[in-house]
Amino acid sequence: MIRGRGAAAAVAGVVLVLAAAGCSGGGTPSARGDAVSGASVSAGAGAVALVPLPSQVSVGGGEGYALSAGTVVHGEGGAAATAVAGDLASLLRPVTGLALPVVGTGGASGLVVRLDAAAGTGAEGYRLVSGPDGVVITAATGAGLFHGVQTLRQLVPVKGVGTVPAVRISDRPRYGYRSGSLDVARHFFPVADVERYVDLLAQYKFNVLHLHLTDDQGWRIAVPGLPGLTGIGAATQVGGGAGGYYTAADYRAIVAYAAARYITVVPEVDLPGHTNAALTAYPDLGCAGDAPAQPYTGVGVGFSRICTGKESTYGFVDKVVGALAALTPGPYLGIGGDEADALAPADYDAFMARAAAIVRAHGKQPVAWDEAAGAGKDGPQLLGVWHPLKLEPAGLAQQLVAAAQRGAKLVMEPADRAYLDQKYDEQTSLGTSWAGYLSVQKSYDWDPDGYLTGLPAGSVTGVEAPVWTETLSTVANLETMLLPRLPALAEVAWTPQAERGWADFRQRLAAQQPRWQAQGLSYQRADGVPWGS
Ligand code: IFG
């Protein structure tokens, strides 16, 4: 057994990844081992290259578990264990070619998924222990078991019947809000594409899918009583393509698919700016004198507004929010709030407070972009911090600190670190670069708690990786921008800051490449990563 603490370092093909310091996100303080002794490591354990890096991993000290035709998957301790055991079998059957029958009883051998309310692993953590007789994943929750399965996926060979190295893992996330945000307004992505994106989020332990459902170029969710929103507002997209939208049934399917992977859907209708599509359907949403909205297929921002001075506008907001809240089991509902450049600040702030009240009246917590900090204590209290420090409007950082001091929570997604529509470098054909080029290292090498100075401890509740789709119209386009930077942000969101470092991460990231290839995923061979063939 190799014990100790400190960052990971690859040694002789086996990763000496040592006990992590306590996590800032409520993780249990880890046992600080002594310095790494001359402990022998099991030869041939093979490199254990996990992304995101678990908060506590020790490798070696005996034989691993050799999968075989006789391997059985046990789901033990309740329905969630049975369901996750099924997930595990479904994921490993195509990889191993084994039958991997699932049984609902306990077992000391094989692959055991054990739900134990007393496991002490928190809301999303798990333990994973592997040895000659088998692998046991233990967690107090289904989410924890599911995250343990994602780790086990990376411990088996990319293809074929292999051996799970002897490891002992105790793991839980740094942040509780780990989000991927997908813009389906600039370019529409049908349900199957969204499900493929959810699969990627699940593989890297994200637990939120933020769907950016409406914008100037398209309104993508049907709202009962407002047929024009999709009848007219969904008819196009950037570049003039056919657009599209989700029916209630489509949206429910996405919610169910995400929920089965312990991912909560956060829908966003962007208000009071980014509203051209709604205005093409319902011109009365605009102020008198505003030019009538035409379908927009460009990529500009900040030009549109609904009329915050009309009472009828709030009836519209109520109908839209009510419809979406009724379809959304999760606690959050996004009302946008970004780039409302056509509005006076006071009108904007007042609107955001009223819209937030409407969301609360429908039983949801409002989420908004960072500009909404100016709406004060009546505004949304969960804010997506997206402006890069170097480009932010004067006073925004101070407003965000003030909001945090009065209890608002921040989801860090600064465009110069987390916007995956930004080009990797000047050679990248897709994407834009208004926030600067975003290398893999730049998306990895930052501390969400330290991006804004002066925040009270605990203000940052999570991290989000948005992918805006002005220039992305296919799944392959998305995946090229998501891989490899999404896994980088997954580790930023999951792994204790003190336990992660670029020199080690880049090695573990490169080891993900054959897994992406086996899954038929598109990815960018971005600079700075020691890619294989
Ligand atoms: N900013 C806009 C997005 C998108 C983005 C592209 C936010 C919150 C630039 N708003 O990011 O709609 O256009 O990088």
Side-chain angles (χ1 to χ4, degrees):
M1 173 69 73
I2 302 152
R3 293 181 51 75
R5 60 180 297 280
V11 172
V14 171
V15 177
L16 295 176
V17 181
L18 306 169
C23 308
S24 62
T28 46
S30 61
R32 289 188 180 286
D34 46 13
V36 176
S37 67
S40 66
V41 294
S42 53
V48 169
L50 301 171
V51 174
L53 181 67
S55 45
Q56 203 167 57
V57 182
S58 56
V59 180
E63 290 311 303
Y65 175 62
L67 291 160
S68 72
T71 297
V72 173
V73 182
H74 300 266
E76 185 186 314
T82 308
V84 173
D87 297 335
L88 174 56
S90 303
L91 288 165
L92 294 193
R93 283 179 187 131
V95 169
T96 62
L98 298 174
L100 298 178
V102 179
V103 296
T105 59
S109 68
L111 304 179
V112 182
V113 176
R114 178 174 296 149
L115 185 65
D116 173 1
T121 49
E124 297 186 86
Y126 63 92
R127 279 191 297 280
L128 186 154
V129 178
S130 58
D133 294 336
V135 182
V136 181
I137 298 171
T138 308
T141 65
L145 293 175
F146 189 77
H147 295 143
V149 162
Q150 306 315 312
T151 297
L152 180 52
R153 286 176 77 180
Q154 296 184 16
L155 290 169
V156 301
V158 176
K159 196 75 179 161
V161 182
T163 295
V164 178
V167 293
R168 299 184 69 82
I169 293 172
S170 175
D171 195 12
R172 64 176 67 202
R174 177 184 183 184
Y175 294 114
Y177 193 102
R178 305 180 307 282
S179 175
S181 170
L182 178 61
D183 167 14
V184 297
R186 276 51 181 268
H187 281 95
F188 179 66
F189 289 85
V191 172
D193 291 354
V194 177
E195 290 175 346
R196 186 175 166 104
Y197 173 68
V198 168
D199 286 338
L200 196 53
L201 293 180
Q203 188 168 172
Y204 289 105
K205 301 191 176 85
F206 285 91
N207 65 355
V208 172
L209 164 65
H210 169 182
L211 277 178
H212 183 76
L213 290 165
T214 71
D215 213 299
D216 292 318
Q217 299 86 347
W219 185 286
R220 306 295 182 206
I221 182 70
V223 176
L226 293 168
L229 288 176
T230 44
I232 297 168
T236 189
Q237 59 186 18
V238 169
Y245 67 91
Y246 305 118
T247 64
D250 293 333
Y251 181 80
R252 281 198 197 92
I254 291 170
V255 167
Y257 193 88
R261 292 153 182 81
Y262 296 93
I263 291 174
T264 299
V265 171
V266 177
E268 176 197 352
V269 286
D270 202 346
L271 304 166
H274 286 268
T275 45
N276 183 75
L279 287 156
T280 62
Y282 297 102
D284 281 354
L285 285 173
C287 294
D290 284 358
Q294 300 302 325
Y296 181 65
T297 59
V299 295
V301 296
F303 59 88
S304 58
R305 66 173 183 181
I306 53 176
C307 196
T308 56
K310 282 182 172 178
E311 266 317 294
S312 54
T313 295
Y314 301 93
F316 167 82
V317 173
D318 185 62
K319 194 173 272 189
V320 168
V321 166
L324 212 42
L327 292 174
T328 300
Y332 303 112
L333 196 150
I335 49 174
D338 60 314
E339 298 172 322
D341 303 343
L343 277 167
D347 294 340
Y348 167 84
D349 290 345
F351 173 86
M352 292 306 287
R354 269 193 81 172
I358 290 170
V359 172
R360 293 184 183 109
H362 286 284
K364 301 299 178 186
Q365 293 178 52
V367 182
W369 300 107
D370 58 24
E371 296 100 319
K377 63 178 176 43
D378 297 332
Q381 297 306 302
L382 184 59
L383 299 167
V385 179
W386 68 279
H387 280 89
L389 276 179
K390 67 188 183 215
L391 298 176
E392 69 175 21
L396 179 63
Q398 289 79 347
Q399 283 187 328
L400 287 165
V401 171
Q405 285 168 339
R406 62 169 181 265
K409 294 302 177 195
L410 308 182
V411 175
M412 297 307 294
E413 48 193 305
D416 61 342
R417 297 290 183 169
Y419 269 31
L420 300 186
D421 65 322
Q422 296 307 291
K423 292 175 182 289
Y424 291 86
D425 54 35
E426 57 278 10
Q427 272 81 40
T428 313
S429 56
L430 297 166
T432 64
S433 58
W434 66 268
Y437 294 125
L438 184 56
S439 65
V440 185
Q441 181 169 2
K442 197 168 180 209
S443 66
Y444 180 83
D445 243 349
W446 63 292
D447 180 359
D449 273 6
Y451 189 83
L452 290 174
T453 51
L455 288 178
S459 308
V460 175
T461 190
V463 172
E464 181 163 87
V467 60
W468 301 100
T469 60
E470 283 92 338
T471 66
L472 310 175
S473 58
T474 66
V475 167
N477 287 170
L478 283 182
E479 289 171 356
T480 300
M481 301 302 269
L482 292 167
L483 292 175
R485 292 175 301 186
L486 189 72
L489 287 161
E491 184 153 313
V492 172
W494 182 276
T495 305
Q497 191 74 23
E499 291 317 307
R500 61 186 188 85
W502 171 248
D504 169 61
F505 174 73
R506 62 193 290 272
Q507 307 283 348
R508 289 182 283 113
L509 183 64
Q512 296 290 309
Q513 179 187 13
R515 299 185 184 278
W516 304 335
Q517 290 169 328
Q519 294 174 46
L521 296 168
S522 300
Y523 64 94
Q524 179 88 350
R525 290 173 66 92
D527 289 349
V529 180
W531 300 114
S533 56

